[in-house]
Every structure is written in C-alpha cells, then in structure tokens.
C-alpha cells in the first residue's frame, strides 16, 4: 500500500491509455490499468512496481465496481479516474443495428457512467476525473456519426458531472483528441484502408499530421494533476487544429 497519488486508467493496454498510464507512473503516480486483454497490460506493468493490472470490460455490468475495488485493494486510495476505454465504429445509418448501437453506447457511455458512480466516494475531497471524448463529437463530418454521438454524450456528461460533483471537491474534465496514432483503426479496417484513412485525416488537418498518443496523454495528466485545482467542466481539444480547420 502507498500514500502517493493513484490513478485508474481504463483502456490502458494501448494507445492513449497506455501513454497516459506510463506518463503518470513516470511522474510518481501509482496506476491501475484495465482492459479486456491481459497480455498487453502485463507487458506495460512489467518491471514497474507503480503499475498494477486488472482485466475487465467497462461495458460489462459490475466491472466498474470491480475496477475501483481492485485499485483500492492494491494502492489504498484513488485520486484520479481516466475514462479512456472506447469502441470505434464506422457504421452509418443504413447499417446500424440495435445490438451494435447497444455495444457502442455500453462501452463509450455506460462504462464511464458506471465508473463515475463507483469511484465518486473514493475520489471525494480533491479527486479528478478525466474523460476521453473525440474531436469529431464537436464537428459533424459525415463519418462515424454514432461513435461521434456516443462521445458527444460523454462530453455533455462531463459538464454535468463537473457541476454535480463540485461540492465534493471532485473536478471533472475531458479531452477531445483528433486523429491520433494508435491501433484502434485496425479494429475496423484492413491495413491498406487504414493507411488511406490516416493519409486523408492528416491532409485534412491544419497541422497536416496525425497526433501521437504521448501528445494527447500529457493533457490527461495535466488535468488529473491537483495543480489544475481550479479547472473543471472543460473539454480540451487536442486535435491538430481540427476544431478550427
């Protein structure tokens, strides 16, 4: 058990979640990383006493409670919750099914809702919640509209939670990443199509490149840090200028 600051990072096995967990650990935090696949989590935690692993799916009933309890059992406290786990979906209006829509919102909305509810008591008196939404939630592009809708919902909830939990001294903010280098595109397309998507995204941005997970993670860590004590209810675009391009 430790008295140093502790964070719970969902979807910590790759991409933005991994970068955030590693940066938090580098800055002296204890970190519980969660995800559905055990091997990537174990790889990240290998050789790092400050990173622990809990295998779980945020969309499953009861998993949020288990994740919070595992964090408290391992480290004795919880100072920050990072709702990073997400499901990307390119499905449009003509193809959407009830089951697919349910799976999408259970991961991107239901999971964070349950985690905030499960973590609120442990986070009381100075804790922080950082949600990961998406830049496309604020700029309709005709692309993955239901994914964007789920992330827009999370952005709305961010502001609602900020107001609701402020009397308990819990800050709630979000980041809205633009196109970022990670493995998530490989879950919806083959390698050739992935490269085409990446090239098109980079060309569409004012900075003409995709971001890196590390460039996004630093803002998660900044918002989680107690030094950001007067910042709550904000959604920070980390998007290479997508929101103004």
């Amino acid at each position: 058990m430790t008295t140093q600051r502790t964070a719970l990072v969902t979807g910590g096995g790759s991409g933005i979640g991994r970068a955030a967990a590693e940066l938090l650990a580098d800055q002296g935090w204890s970190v519980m990383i969660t995800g559905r696949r055990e091997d990537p989590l174990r790889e990240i935690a290998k050789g790092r006493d400050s990173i622990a692993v809990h295998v779980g799916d945020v969309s499953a009933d009861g998993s949020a409670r288990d994740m919070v309890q595992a964090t408290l059992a391992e480290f004795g406290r919880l100072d920050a919750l990072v709702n990073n786990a997400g499901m990307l979906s390119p499905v449009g209006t003509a193809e959407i099914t009830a089951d697919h829509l349910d799976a999408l919102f259970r991961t991107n909305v239901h999971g964070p809702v349950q985690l905030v509810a499960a973590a609120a008591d442990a986070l009381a008196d100075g804790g922080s919640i950082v949600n990961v939404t998406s830049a496309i939630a604020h700029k309709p592009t005709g692309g993955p509209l239901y994914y964007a809708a789920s992330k827009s919902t999370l952005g709305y909830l961010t502001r609602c939670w900020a107001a609701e939990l402020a009397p308990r001294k819990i800050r709630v903010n979000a980041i809205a990443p633009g196109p970022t280098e990670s493995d998530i595109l490989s879950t919806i397309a083959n390698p050739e199509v992935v490269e085409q998507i990446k090239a098109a995204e980079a060309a569409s941005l004012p900075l003409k490149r995709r971001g890196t997970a590390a460039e996004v993670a630093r803002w998660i860590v900044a918002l989680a840090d107690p030094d950001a004590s007067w910042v709550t209810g904000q959604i920070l675009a980390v998007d290479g200028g997508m929101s103004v391009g």
Side-chain angles (χ1 to χ4, degrees):
M1 183 178 296
T2 181
T3 57
Q4 70 191 92
R5 290 175 298 185
T6 295
L8 166 59
V9 180
T10 67
S14 64
I16 293 170
R18 174 174 184 165
E22 291 178 334
L23 184 54
L24 284 163
D26 288 344
Q27 295 192 3
W29 290 66
S30 296
V31 186
M32 177 65 75
I33 54 175
T34 74
R36 293 177 298 173
R37 299 176 298 148
E38 183 173 5
D39 288 348
L41 298 175
R42 295 293 179 194
E43 178 187 343
I44 295 164
K46 187 176 181 180
R48 287 178 177 262
D49 293 338
S50 58
I51 298 182
V53 167
H54 178 83
V55 180
D57 183 346
V58 297
S59 70
D61 291 333
S63 65
R65 179 190 64 250
D66 293 343
M67 290 174 184
V68 171
Q69 290 180 347
T71 305
L72 296 175
E74 181 73 24
F75 297 118
R77 61 187 289 165
L78 179 62
D79 300 278
L81 166 64
V82 179
N83 279 314
N84 169 72
M87 174 183 174
L88 178 61
S89 171
V91 175
T93 301
E95 301 85 19
I96 192 69
T97 66
D99 287 345
H100 190 85
L101 192 64
D102 180 64
L104 183 63
F105 273 77
R106 284 191 68 83
T107 299
N108 295 351
V109 178
H110 174 86
V113 166
Q114 294 302 308
L115 277 155
V116 169
D121 287 342
L123 285 168
D125 194 22
S128 175
I129 298 170
V130 183
N131 299 315
V132 179
T133 66
S134 173
I136 66 170
H138 311 287
K139 187 175 182 179
T141 61
L145 69 162
Y146 296 107
Y147 168 76
S150 68
K151 290 298 190 176
S152 180
T153 300
L154 185 57
Y156 177 80
L157 288 170
T158 295
R159 293 191 171 99
C160 292
W161 286 326
E164 178 187 0
L165 298 175
R168 301 174 67 175
K169 299 182 181 179
I170 299 174
R171 297 181 300 106
V172 189
N173 295 287
I175 60 162
T180 305
E181 293 295 340
S182 72
D183 296 331
I184 194 166
L185 285 175
S186 64
T187 66
I188 63 168
N190 63 52
E192 182 179 352
V193 173
V194 166
E195 291 307 312
Q196 292 172 356
I197 293 172
K198 288 183 176 182
E201 287 177 339
S204 72
L205 296 173
L207 292 183
K208 300 304 178 186
R209 68 173 179 86
R210 291 163 56 84
T212 68
E215 288 175 313
V216 176
R218 67 181 297 243
W219 295 104
I220 294 176
V221 175
L223 289 172
D225 194 288
D227 286 344
S229 55
W230 214 42
V231 179
T232 195
Q234 301 305 303
I235 301 176
L236 176 64
V238 186
D239 63 4
M242 180 177 174
S243 56
V244 297

